[in-house]
C-alpha cells in the first residue's frame, strides 16, 4: 500500500510539472508584468494551477484507490440467487416435493419444479445435501438409459450444471450440455440450482425431447472434488405416472419416514393383529 501511494504521489508531481512547465526567468517575469500591469494576474494563474493540482491529486486517489490502497475499482455486486417460490406450484409451474408433509423448497429432502418459458423449460432443484441433486427422464421408471440433468457442488463452493446419461446404476457425464442460464448456490447444507433447457432437441440416445411425457427420477447424494458419487437412497424416488411438461401439477411424495401402509394386504394384516391382541389367545 505504501508503494502504491508513493507511485500516486510521483504521478501527481509529474502532472504538476507538465502543467506548470519550465519556471520563467526574471526577464520573462518582467515582461509579463509589463504586459499585464501590476494587478497580480500571473499570481492568480499560479494559484489556479495549485488548485487544479490539488483537485487532480484528490480525484486520482478517490477514483483509483480503494480503502486498502489498491488501484483497482471495486467489483460490482453479484445478484443473489432468487428464492424458489412454492406458492406458484400447480399454478404457473409444476412441482414435485419429497420429504415431510408440508415441506417446501428449503425443507424438503428433495424439491423440483418445471415451467415453460417460450421454447425452453426452466427447472429448479434443491436437496438436503452438500454434494449434488439431479432429475432423470425415464420411459420405464427404472435407472438405465436415462437422460439426467444434475447440479453439482464443487470444492470451490460453486454449483455447476452437468448433463449425464445413466448406464445401469452408473451416471456417465456427457459433454453435450443443453443447459443454459445456469445459476446455483450452496447454503444451509442445501444444493439449489436453476437452469433452462430447450423444449425440442434433435432426438438422440442421451438427450430426450421434453415435449413428450416421461417418468421423472429424483436423486441426490455426496460429491468428491466436484464428481458425483452414489445417491443417498438405495431406491431413489420416481414419479408414479408420466409427467407432461404442459401440465402443471403439485405432487407430494412422502419420504420413507412418513410413508404409511396403504395396500389392502397390509391393512388386512393390521386388522388381524389388532383383533388377535384384543381377543387374546384361546
Amino acid at each position: 500500500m505504501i508503494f502504491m501511494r508513493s507511485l500516486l504521489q510521483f504521478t501527481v508531481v509529474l502532472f504538476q510539472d507538465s502543467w506548470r512547465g519550465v519556471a520563467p526567468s526574471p526577464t520573462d517575469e518582467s515582461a509579463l508584468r509589463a504586459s499585464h500591469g501590476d494587478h497580480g494576474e500571473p499570481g492568480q494563474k499560479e494559484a489556479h494551477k495549485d488548485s487544479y493540482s490539488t483537485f487532480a491529486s484528490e480525484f486520482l486517489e478517490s477514483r483509483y484507490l480503494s480503502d486498502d490502497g489498491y488501484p483497482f475499482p471495486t467489483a460490482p455486486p453479484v445478484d443473489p440467487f432468487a428464492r424458489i417460490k412454492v406458492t406458484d406450484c400447480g399454478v404457473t409451474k409444476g412441482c414435485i416435493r419429497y420429504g415431510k408433509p408440508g415441506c417446501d423448497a428449503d425443507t424438503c429432502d428433495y424439491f423440483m419444479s418445471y415451467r415453460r418459458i417460450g421454447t425452453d423449460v426452466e427447472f429448479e432443484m434443491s436437496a438436503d445435501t452438500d454434494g449434488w441433486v439431479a432429475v432423470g427422464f425415464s420411459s420405464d421408471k427404472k435407472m438405465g438409459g436415462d437422460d439426467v440433468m444434475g447440479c453439482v457442488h464443487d470444492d470451490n463452493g460453486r454449483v455447476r450444471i452437468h448433463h449425464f446419461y445413466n448406464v445401469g446404476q452408473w451416471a456417465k457425464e456427457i459433454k453435450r450440455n443443453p443447459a443454459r442460464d445456469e445459476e446455483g448456490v450452496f447454503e444451509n447444507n442445501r444444493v439449489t440450482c436453476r437452469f433452462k433447457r430447450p423444449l425440442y432437441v434433435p432426438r438422440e440416445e442421451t438427450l430426450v425431447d421434453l415435449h413428450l411425457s416421461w417418468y421423472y427420477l429424483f436423486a441426490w447424494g455426496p460429491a468428491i472434488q466436484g464428481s458425483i458419487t452414489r445417491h443417498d437412497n438405495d431406491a431413489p424416488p420416481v414419479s408414479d405416472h408420466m409427467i407432461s411438461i404442459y401440465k402443471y401439477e403439485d405432487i407430494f411424495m412422502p419420504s420413507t419416514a412418513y410413508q404409511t401402509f396403504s395396500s389392502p394386504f397390509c391393512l388386512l394384516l393390521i386388522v388381524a393383529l389388532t383383533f388377535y391382541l384384543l381377543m387374546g389367545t384361546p
Side-chain angles (χ1 to χ4, degrees), residues 63-272:
R63 175 66 179 84
Y64 293 105
L65 284 185
S66 64
D67 293 338
D68 296 329
Y70 297 101
F72 301 104
T74 303
V78 178
D79 292 336
F81 185 90
R83 292 174 62 89
I84 298 176
K85 296 181 180 179
V86 297
T87 54
D88 297 335
C89 292
V91 182
T92 60
K93 64 182 179 182
C95 297
I96 294 93
R97 318 178 199 209
Y98 178 86
K100 180 180 179 180
C103 65
D104 57 23
D106 295 325
T107 57
C108 285
D109 294 350
Y110 177 98
F111 178 91
M112 193 274 287
S113 76
Y114 60 90
R115 65 168 176 160
R116 299 184 314 278
I117 301 179
T119 58
D120 292 333
V121 180
E122 181 184 76
F123 289 96
E124 297 173 315
M125 291 191 291
S126 180
D128 184 13
T129 180
D130 62 356
W132 58 273
V133 55
V135 58
F137 310 103
S138 174
S139 59
D140 57 5
K141 282 190 172 184
K142 300 178 182 179
M143 291 185 64
D146 309 311
D147 180 2
V148 178
M149 299 300 299
C151 305
V152 184
H153 175 224
D154 62 24
D155 290 346
N156 296 320
R158 298 169 298 186
V159 175
R160 298 293 180 87
I161 317 302
H162 297 259
H163 182 215
F164 302 95
Y165 181 74
N166 279 344
V167 181
Q169 298 290 315
W170 176 60
K172 176 184 178 182
E173 184 167 1
I174 305 299
K175 291 183 178 180
R176 183 186 177 189
N177 190 345
R180 56 173 173 252
D181 296 341
E182 309 171 14
E183 52 180 328
V185 66
F186 176 69
E187 290 181 344
N188 302 321
N189 201 46
R190 292 189 70 88
V191 174
T192 306
C193 63
R194 180 183 294 114
F195 62 92
K196 293 186 182 71
R197 170 175 159 156
L199 181 61
Y200 298 94
V201 294
R203 187 67 181 272
E204 62 176 65
E205 183 182 14
T206 62
L207 202 60
V208 301
D209 255 339
L210 292 178
H211 78 280
L212 301 174
S213 297
W214 303 94
Y215 290 106
Y216 280 26
L217 309 175
F218 315 111
W220 62 99
I224 299 176
Q225 296 181 348
S227 298
I228 67 174
T229 60
R230 182 175 173 80
H231 41 69
D232 286 343
N233 287 2
D234 292 333
V238 56
S239 61
D240 60 1
H241 63 276
M242 285 188 167
I243 294 177
S244 170
I245 212 73
Y246 297 98
K247 184 178 180 181
Y248 293 154
E249 304 180 71
D250 189 4
I251 301 172
F252 171 72
M253 304 169 61
S255 59
T256 305
Y258 299 96
Q259 292 176 2
T260 58
F261 298 103
S262 58
S263 68
F265 175 77
C266 290
L267 293 176
L268 182 61
L269 181 60
I270 292 174
V271 171

